[in-house]
Amino acid sequence: MSRKKWQLLGLLTAAGAVVVGLVTAPASAAGGVSAVFAKGSDWGSGYEGKYTVANGSGSALASWTVEFDLPSGAKVASLWDGSYTTSGQHVTVKGTWNGTIAAGASASFGFNVTYSGSYTAPANCKLNGGSCAAGGTPPTSTTTPPTTTTPPTTTPPTTTTPPTTTPPPATGGKGAPYLYLGWGNPPNPQTVMNATGVRWFTMAFINASGGCNPAWDSSRPLTGSPDAAAIAQIKAAGGQVVPSFGGWSGSKLGPACSTPEALAGAYQKVIDTYGLTAIDIDIENSDEFENAVVQDRVLGALKIVKQRNPGVQTILTFGTATTGPNYWGTRLIEQSKALGAGVDTYTIMPFDFGGGADMYQSTVNATNGLRDKLKATFGWSDATAYTHIGISGMNGLSDQQELTDLTTWSRITSWAKGNKLARLAFWSVNRDRGCAGGGVQEACSGIAQDDWAFTRITAGF
């Protein structure tokens, strides 16, 4: 399932342009569809939209179509999260999510269209039950409801002989919340460390810059950037970082690097630059997670990294259903064994998955689903499987308005600690500030809380 649509949280407040759009639901999603389009984020110019499909009947595959008109002078330069066609200024975006939405639940999706040319941005617009502000009008054309397809049924490739050694449990970055310097009023990391006792941060996101070259958000260099300064500050205070590659949006290294060797070289450059002991590959979306070729390329690269750096912990982070890994997650795990990737930690993101009111139980269920898959794949015991599992949650309100409050996060942390899980993270330190009733924000949690409360809990993991 899609995850770092987390990056789209910045849309609500950052300066930029907006899309005027219309979303159509799959025929079986009787609950209807809501669409909210907001301003582009400050990490790059472009039109961005976030929308939710709500299913009021039985389970349904989430197919979607979005139509919008570009302002005069704007042109499509690229698109993430789907395919698109253009007719003049009119753009049609289509895509699918390979999963199901239970009755009464919903799933959020996102897209981004970058542009060229000058333009006058229309106002924010909410359609399908909402209203358009002055300057924003919905397109006059109608969309054709997307067809409902069936989930992939391709049998995963036949596995080869498993590696003869089992990777040791991960030891790096056990409690390491995400810190992102791209937006969201990034806090001073040393201030957070002093206030909470946390010593590890997961730094997001390293992606491709001009081909198979790593850079923060594809734009900020590895050295001489605010990210590099923050890492130096964290280390000076006795801490360490786990850089995260990938995420939901952006130009990612997995597709950009043509071979496992080239991709491993990109990972190695980051390892060498910062003297790392752990890296996180946040593998998401149709360009990496839902792409068999790129999945295998990432796993092949991690195998090379492990051979070159036996002491560096390798982490895979990916989405999940409430019952555990979906088709693509299952394939990723099976292929990691088949290719001998030697992955240390498999981290799931248990949110934006129709988790319902009880996010503690949904998280436990999803984690145990992963445990069972690791046991079946590697022949591990419950205890061994847990030592190769991580949880990466979302503090406060998720994109789907799932609520993980401080009590819930404390319970999740205690459960993870009691079962000796390898890793605990959340998105994000930027959001670890209170704003009760504020909704989903990039610089606060949307709930009442003290600053850095989630980080303080995580530091005790």
Side-chain angles (χ1 to χ4, degrees):
M1 185 190 288
S2 61
R3 284 300 178 274
K4 297 223 192 12
K5 77 186 92 65
W6 290 341
Q7 293 189 2
L8 299 178
L9 296 174
L11 304 178
L12 300 178
T13 57
V18 296
V19 181
V20 178
L22 175 66
V23 180
T24 61
S28 56
V33 181
S34 62
V36 179
F37 298 92
K39 293 180 179 180
S41 70
D42 57 8
W43 52 265
S45 299
Y47 299 103
E48 303 183 8
K50 186 174 78 173
Y51 48 95
T52 299
V53 176
N55 182 14
S57 56
S59 296
L61 187 75
S63 300
W64 46 266
T65 298
V66 181
E67 293 194 354
F68 56 90
D69 291 312
L70 297 174
S72 176
K75 299 178 181 178
V76 174
S78 65
L79 175 99
W80 300 327
D81 311 342
S83 61
Y84 75 96
T85 57
T86 60
S87 177
Q89 298 299 111
H90 190 73
V91 181
T92 300
V93 182
K94 294 183 178 181
T96 61
W97 168 55
N98 292 307
T100 58
I101 305 173
S106 61
S108 294
F109 305 86
F111 65 88
N112 176 292
V113 179
T114 61
Y115 59 84
S116 60
S118 60
Y119 63 92
T120 301
N124 289 359
C125 184
K126 182 175 182 178
L127 302 178
N128 296 339
S131 61
C132 289
T137 56
T140 56
S141 63
T142 59
T143 60
T144 301
T147 57
T148 299
T149 60
T150 56
T153 56
T154 303
T155 302
T158 301
T159 59
T160 57
T161 302
T164 56
T165 59
T166 297
T171 57
K174 284 182 67 68
Y178 279 84
L179 176 64
Y180 181 53
L181 300 188
W183 45 251
N185 188 21
N188 180 294
Q190 192 166 356
T191 298
V192 178
M193 294 172 75
N194 291 339
T196 66
V198 74
R199 288 294 176 264
W200 284 78
F201 293 92
T202 304
M203 299 281 291
F205 291 102
I206 292 178
N207 281 314
S209 174
C212 187
N213 302 303
W216 296 99
D217 277 347
S218 300
S219 60
R220 301 188 301 276
L222 297 183
T223 59
S225 62
D227 312 80
I231 292 172
Q233 187 179 37
I234 292 166
K235 287 187 172 184
Q240 187 55 275
V241 299
V242 184
S244 184
F245 297 77
W248 173 252
S249 298
S251 177
K252 302 169 192 176
L253 287 164
C257 300
S258 59
T259 65
E261 291 76 16
L263 182 55
Y267 295 159
Q268 190 68 49
K269 185 175 181 180
V270 180
I271 292 170
D272 293 342
T273 298
Y274 301 122
L276 300 174
T277 59
I279 59 172
D280 171 48
I281 313 302
D282 190 317
I283 183 168
E284 301 191 49
N285 214 330
S286 58
D287 53 353
E288 282 198 314
F289 185 56
E290 297 174 0
N291 184 315
V293 171
V294 177
Q295 269 200 9
D296 290 354
R297 187 179 301 155
V298 168
L299 293 171
L302 290 179
K303 179 178 181 178
I304 295 170
V305 166
K306 181 62 72 173
Q307 290 169 341
R308 294 174 178 171
N309 312 268
V312 171
Q313 300 290 324
T314 54
I315 303 163
L316 278 176
T317 298
F318 50 97
T320 183
T322 54
T323 54
N326 65 6
Y327 167 85
W328 291 104
T330 295
R331 183 193 186 278
L332 185 68
I333 293 166
E334 291 174 347
Q335 283 296 92
S336 72
K337 177 187 177 183
L339 298 175
V343 173
D344 294 294
T345 304
Y346 300 84
T347 299
I348 55 169
M349 294 180 281
F351 60 90
D352 286 355
F353 61 171
D358 190 347
M359 288 298 284
Y360 167 78
Q361 194 59 54
S362 292
T363 298
V364 169
N365 291 345
T367 306
N368 284 338
L370 173 59
R371 175 203 63 192
D372 292 343
K373 180 58 190 175
L374 294 178
K375 288 171 58 181
T377 302
F378 293 100
W380 293 338
S381 65
D382 282 14
T384 299
Y386 279 136
T387 63
H388 293 278
I389 289 177
I391 293 173
S392 182
M394 191 165 181
N395 54 311
L397 294 177
S398 74
D399 298 297
Q400 293 184 8
Q401 305 291 314
E402 299 158 332
L403 174 60
T404 300
D405 58 17
L406 289 165
T407 299
T408 301
W409 189 243
S410 293
R411 293 179 66 199
I412 291 171
T413 301
S414 295
W415 183 86
K417 188 174 182 179
N419 285 287
K420 297 181 172 57
L421 266 62
R423 176 173 170 78
L424 185 68
F426 66 86
W427 183 270
S428 62
V429 177
N430 305 55
R431 302 180 66 248
D432 196 7
R433 295 173 274 213
C435 55
V440 183
Q441 300 281 341
E442 83 274 14
C444 60
S445 63
I447 64 174
Q449 65 159 95
D450 293 334
D451 288 355
W452 325 131
F454 284 90
T455 304
R456 190 172 293 107
I457 295 169
T458 306
F461 173 68

